[in-house]
Amino acid sequence: MTRRVLITGSSGFIGGHVLMAARTAEDVRLRLLVRTPPAAPHPDVEYVHGDLTDPASLRGACADVDAVVHCAGLIGGDAEMLRRANDLGTRALADEVRRAEVTRFVYLSTAAVHGRGPFRDARPGEVPVAPASDTSRTRAAAEEHVLAAGGTVLRPHLVYGRGDRWVIPGILALLRTLGGLPDGWTGLQSTIDADTLGRVAFAAVTTGPADGMGRVHYVTHPDPVPGELLLSAVAETLGLFAEDAPRISAETARQRVLDHPAARHHLGMLAVDHWFTDDSLWSDFGVEPGAGFAARFPEYADWYRGQAGLPPLGVTAGFEKAR
């Protein structure tokens, strides 16, 4: 039986990986909600115009589909625009889901709706929603609209992989500000690679249990990563420092980031636990979590080095090798 799936945000980081997962599946017809039609549309994909900031444009977007994966939204920027896109836009989409009687509705949210932490071995339903930014507040509001429509919410924490413009770039900025490697940092971080996250999101609307709708899941690898290992793995894999790089204590790190807001934000996050656990996720959706961060991250080294303007590994770089 052919399943008809609507994906929003397919040109974005996570949405793009959901789209890749969908294209490998059999008996799936895709509809993509887009603000601007692509210059070279795929012949087997239906494109419908829609803009979350214009609820009227969403009318009919969900007609005749079996499932919706909602990945679109704004991160950062003007508070009112965030409210219009993430909160009100998702409410309008949820109304369309109800109107079209769509039975499977999944929203890609974030564990940041819980605030700054620490969170250690937190499981769904155990931690209150307490967002600390306009982005997280509006995404928490979006979750409520999705759950009220009988949908499912997926909350990853740190997502890495091709297309990442925040997690690893922020860690690189932090490492450069520190001028060395962390020493004695104890915070545990939940991570997931974008490929696996995309497969989970697609599985949630196609192969997951029907009675799984209306739930919140954390999409995180079962093995959390110590913040110290996370930074060291990034530095080593990308060849950022020489082997004799200095070791930086958490206290020294806090002093060095005082005048660097982006680095200070990542330090504050990585220095405390953000460890979320969801035992039922992988069995419910039939997806294997695969290798953990230390083993998986090197697969993306060349992509990240290219994005950061770093030379290929093995080529001497003035900044990195001079440290």
Side-chain angles (χ1 to χ4, degrees):
M1 177 180 176
T2 299
R3 296 156 292 179
R4 297 157 298 178
V5 180
L6 169 69
I7 302 175
T8 76
S10 61
S11 62
F13 174 33
I14 306 303
H17 287 272
V18 176
L19 178 57
M20 284 192 294
R23 282 178 168 164
T24 65
E26 296 181 355
D27 298 325
V28 170
R29 292 183 62 112
L30 289 175
R31 177 185 296 174
L32 306 183
L33 184 75
V34 296
R35 287 182 296 178
T36 304
H42 194 286
D44 296 326
V45 173
E46 178 188 2
Y47 299 88
V48 295
H49 169 74
D51 187 332
L52 291 177
T53 63
D54 179 11
S57 72
L58 303 178
R59 191 64 186 254
C62 300
D64 301 318
V65 300
D66 302 301
V68 174
V69 187
H70 180 30
C71 305
L74 293 181
I75 299 176
D78 178 74
E80 177 57 22
M81 187 59 70
L82 287 166
R83 187 179 78 90
R84 289 177 59 193
N86 298 344
D87 180 354
L88 303 184
T90 299
R91 184 177 70 182
L93 182 65
D95 288 343
E96 292 303 309
V97 165
R98 291 191 187 93
R99 184 174 291 112
E101 299 182 347
V102 177
T103 57
R104 293 176 180 267
F105 183 23
V106 170
Y107 174 52
L108 263 294
S109 185
T110 170
V113 298
H114 294 301
R116 305 195 185 283
F119 308 109
R120 187 176 183 85
D121 198 16
R123 296 163 192 271
E126 293 183 350
V127 182
V129 173
S133 69
D134 289 330
T135 297
S136 296
R137 275 187 286 274
T138 55
R139 295 182 80 179
E143 289 188 358
E144 292 301 315
H145 300 314
V146 171
L147 292 171
T152 290
V153 170
L154 303 181
R155 292 178 184 157
H157 176 44
L158 299 181
V159 184
Y160 64 95
R162 293 175 183 84
D164 168 30
R165 298 289 192 273
W166 185 77
V167 173
I168 303 303
I171 288 175
L172 282 171
L174 174 59
L175 286 165
R176 284 173 162 144
T177 301
L178 297 180
L181 298 171
D183 183 34
W185 299 16
T186 57
L188 290 170
Q189 306 301 316
S190 286
T191 66
I192 193 70
D193 69 277
D195 290 334
T196 301
L197 177 55
R199 288 188 289 114
V200 168
F202 183 69
V205 293
T206 53
T207 61
D211 61 2
M213 292 290 109
R215 297 182 184 178
V216 174
H217 283 285
Y218 295 126
V219 190
T220 62
H221 193 277
D223 300 324
V225 185
E228 182 171 333
L229 173 61
L230 184 64
L231 269 70
S232 297
V234 171
E236 179 180 354
T237 300
L238 301 186
L240 193 61
F241 298 128
E243 293 182 1
D244 59 350
R247 310 295 294 194
I248 310 298
S249 69
E251 180 57 36
T252 298
R254 282 190 285 270
Q255 295 301 314
R256 293 191 180 182
V257 301
L258 288 176
D259 297 326
H260 303 272
R264 187 169 66 246
H265 177 275
H266 267 65
L267 174 63
M269 176 179 62
L270 296 173
V272 299
D273 291 330
H274 289 82
W275 172 17
F276 303 93
T277 301
D278 194 333
D279 296 327
S280 66
L281 172 79
W282 307 103
S283 58
D284 279 357
F285 298 141
V287 177
E288 290 293 329
F293 179 83
R296 193 76 196 269
F297 179 69
E299 297 178 23
Y300 307 107
D302 289 342
W303 185 87
Y304 276 114
R305 289 185 67 84
Q307 294 297 306
L310 299 173
L313 288 173
V315 177
T316 300
F319 173 82
E320 286 74 19
K321 299 305 179 183
R323 301 300 296 199

